[in-house]
Amino acid sequence: VVMTRTTRGPVLLGDRAITARRANADAFVSVHLNAYPDGVNPYRARNGTNTYFFFDQAEPLARAVQRGLVRQIGLPDQGINYDNLAVVRQSWMPAILCEGMFLMIPEQEAALRDESFQKRYATGIADGLEEYFRSLAGRQ
């Protein structure tokens, strides 16, 4: 694992992909928390866990990590989504962006402060990565 950010300070989106390329990473996972735009009532809108990808080569990774996140976090499965996001389109390796939950929902924000939830979020990603790389090993 190579962390692109280890402090609260900002890291430019382009620099994150550069770090992954320099490390010769096999996959790139960007961990995020979702939010709704102004004017959307978070109690009426759908919420849950979802994962984004840009290149087709990343779709199997997105599916595997999404399954791991849903199993571990237990929020509704919003599935995987294609999107033209800077952080997932700038690398040659499979790259995904995970939106584990909605930060603006008080119960979900409170869960983020809980170390056991943080561990489940990380475990969901790790489970998905393991499933993805095992599937690649099975193809050879």
Side-chain angles (χ1 to χ4, degrees), residues 34-78:
N34 218 337
Y36 292 110
D38 288 343
V40 175
N41 183 337
Y43 294 103
R44 294 180 185 246
R46 271 184 68 204
N47 72 78
T49 301
N50 62 322
T51 303
Y52 292 91
F53 69 97
F54 180 71
F55 292 109
D56 289 343
Q57 69 175 356
E59 186 176 349
L61 174 62
R63 287 190 188 289
V65 170
Q66 179 68 11
R67 281 191 293 271
L69 287 171
V70 169
R71 274 192 307 267
Q72 289 293 326
I73 294 176
L75 291 174
D77 183 355
Q78 289 202 49

Side-chain angles (χ1 to χ4, degrees), residues 36 42-43 45-48 102-110:
Y36 292 110
Y43 294 103
R46 271 184 68 204
N47 72 78
F102 280 78
L103 184 59
M104 61 197 319
I105 297 174
E107 298 82 11
Q108 293 181 21
E109 180 185 1

